[in-house]
Amino acid sequence: MAIKERIEDLLEQVEQMSASNADELEALRIKYLSKKGEITTLFNEFREVPADQKRELGQALNALRQKAETSINTMREQFEAQSAKADRLDLTRTPDPIELGTRHPLSLVREEIVDIFSRIGFTVAEGPEVEDDKHVYGLLNFAPEHPARDMQDTFFIEKEPGIQKPTDILLRSHTSSVQTRVMTTQKPPIRVLCPGRVYRNEAISARAHCFFHQVEGLYIDKNVSFADLKEALLYFAKEMFGADTQIRLRPSYFPFTEPSAEMDISCNICGGKGCSFCKGTGWVEILGCGMVDPNVLEACGIDSKVYSGYAFGMGVERIANLKYRVKDLRLFSENDIRFLRQFESC
Ligand code: DAH
């Protein structure tokens, strides 16, 4: 074959050159560009080419070598980049630390409340969040027209889409509903603590939310007195907020207790001197309580002549506010990692 055709033939080969790894690439380099390679051989033969063809063939030969070199160099760079990447994958390296979550402040407080009462014999009882009117209001001595049943306070659940009322299925607005679940299914003595989430139809702000958490307590036995209630609550206040904490009970009203009271503790922020948190009074309200109304005992099938009992209910957010000084209720449900991280060591 004349030298010209051999150049054209090689040019075609060089244009279609491909290698799938560095060894194949090196084989190509040897085939075409090494000392005995096909292109180098052509250069040696070029010396014999008659002078009048030297210019044209010389240019074609140079272009061929250039093309082969460029193509081989480009492929080499690609293989080198790939192997550099592979080198960086160090399988012996220790992994990035796994970020540990923290317990939610409301869980911490709920667990602490449960723990304190479990030391004086309370066990945990739970009930459904989607409840019926009977367990949330009816058995608890709420009059049929009681305002708590109003749709402004309670979320009712439509039985059929678009038909709002009448319905007796609702989201429980307090954990007192678990009292009725327990009283209608268990026999005294009963000593339970009922933690759970409750729902109220409130506009969301720093001080109110449409859902929050409560812990309810219920103790029923023979000869349970108001003094027993006071003793249990004083014990709780001291365990939760410190041995210096004082309590005071103010008369109040709840349909399901008689007599009823609200309990304040001496403000644990100013120690009772008066501050903006306790609005200068030295006291902050933390729960409602009272002796279980005989009507409630009877409605739940417990003989009110034989048994008596006390009940109390507190908001978990309120206790958490006092313990951790959280000013805005919304922080508890917004899952802001900057807020939650502050409880890492608790
Ligand atoms: N259920 C009441 C509420 O949600 C709290 C409460 C008050 C519970 C007095 C009680 C109680 O058990 O005796 O506001």
Side-chain angles (χ1 to χ4, degrees):
M1 219 195 285
I3 194 160
K4 191 170 175 213
E5 274 94 71
R6 285 167 61 205
I7 293 174
E8 279 165 8
D9 184 42
L10 280 176
L11 192 62
E12 212 168 288
Q13 288 183 32
V14 163
E15 272 164 0
Q16 284 163 16
M17 239 171 12
S18 82
S20 52
N21 57 44
D23 289 343
E24 282 180 30
L25 185 67
E26 179 60 5
L28 287 176
R29 191 194 65 77
I30 291 169
K31 181 169 192 272
Y32 295 111
L33 296 170
S34 67
K35 265 194 187 151
K36 289 186 184 154
E38 294 182 32
I39 295 174
T40 321
T41 311
L42 276 186
F43 268 96
N44 294 337
E45 290 175 20
F46 177 71
R47 285 187 215 117
E48 262 96 82
V49 166
D52 61 336
Q53 295 176 22
K54 269 217 155 97
R55 190 181 152 84
E56 191 201 339
L57 288 178
Q59 276 177 356
L61 207 49
N62 272 329
L64 172 66
R65 183 167 63 184
Q66 186 106 46
K67 197 153 208 139
E69 280 173 357
T70 319
S71 165
I72 284 175
N73 285 342
T74 315
M75 283 194 269
R76 181 176 297 127
E77 275 163 24
Q78 279 168 4
F79 288 133
E80 277 170 4
Q82 272 169 17
S83 76
K85 222 189 227 170
D87 284 349
R88 258 182 272 137
L89 184 70
D90 177 2
L91 295 175
T92 64
R93 218 191 80 205
T94 44
D96 290 335
I98 298 166
E99 280 224 37
L100 284 183
T102 59
R103 280 193 302 167
H104 194 279
L106 293 180
S107 302
L108 293 168
V109 170
R110 185 198 56 221
E111 278 168 31
E112 194 171 348
I113 298 169
V114 170
D115 183 54
I116 292 170
F117 281 103
S118 72
R119 280 182 252 143
I120 54 169
F122 283 80
T123 54
V124 169
E126 282 177 346
E129 292 182 13
V130 177
E131 259 292 7
D132 53 23
D133 181 278
K134 180 175 144 191
H135 288 91
V136 179
Y137 299 124
L139 294 174
L140 285 166
N141 205 30
F142 280 78
E145 297 306 320
H146 193 282
R149 281 192 165 108
D150 197 281
M151 286 182 72
Q152 250 120 55
D153 291 315
T154 304
F155 287 114
F156 289 90
I157 293 174
E158 298 169 359
K159 276 187 183 157
E160 286 169 51
I163 301 176
Q164 294 191 336
K165 260 197 151 181
T167 173
D168 58 353
I169 306 298
L170 44 90
L171 292 178
R172 67 179 178 199
S173 54
H174 58 177
T175 44
S176 304
S177 57
V178 188
Q179 275 192 30
T180 54
R181 292 249 159 220
V182 172
M183 282 192 275
T184 48
T185 53
Q186 294 177 25
K187 292 207 175 333
I190 291 170
R191 189 153 31 190
V192 289
L193 211 60
C194 323
R197 181 176 288 180
V198 300
Y199 301 84
R200 283 186 202 173
N201 197 352
E202 303 245 12
I204 298 171
S205 71
R207 317 190 82 229
H209 211 295
C210 58
F211 63 80
F212 54 97
H213 301 79
Q214 289 186 330
V215 176
E216 183 85 9
L218 175 71
Y219 176 36
I220 298 171
D221 204 346
K222 290 176 179 151
N223 301 320
V224 177
S225 70
F226 201 93
D228 296 325
L229 170 63
K230 204 173 157 186
E231 183 65 39
L233 294 179
L234 178 63
Y235 155 78
F236 166 71
K238 285 178 182 290
E239 289 293 307
M240 192 77 192
F241 297 105
D244 297 336
T245 310
Q246 292 178 298
I247 61 167
R248 81 175 180 187
L249 290 161
R250 283 178 290 102
S252 184
Y253 172 78
F254 299 102
F256 38 91
T257 43
E258 181 59 37
S260 305
E262 276 168 324
M263 185 176 97
D264 300 338
I265 58 163
S266 50
C267 179
N268 75 328
I269 291 174
C270 62
K273 281 188 222 84
C275 67
S276 63
F277 193 84
C278 60
K279 298 195 190 80
T281 63
W283 296 95
V284 280
E285 185 196 319
I286 64 160
L287 55 80
C289 61
M291 300 306 290
V292 180
D293 193 303
N295 284 346
V296 173
L297 292 174
E298 294 293 336
C300 293
I302 294 173
D303 188 345
S304 65
K305 285 181 210 76
V306 180
Y307 293 104
S308 58
Y310 66 67
F312 56 86
M314 66 185 96
V316 180
E317 280 82 353
R318 178 112 186 110
I319 308 284
N321 283 350
L322 277 166
K323 256 197 110 81
Y324 300 120
R325 300 178 195 184
V326 180
K327 289 224 177 77
D328 190 327
L329 214 55
R330 290 169 290 196
L331 284 166
F332 288 123
S333 52
E334 279 172 354
N335 284 339
D336 186 331
I337 203 89
R338 294 167 300 179
F339 171 69
L340 297 174
R341 281 222 173 102
Q342 294 175 47
F343 300 90
E344 252 162 23
S345 58
C346 298

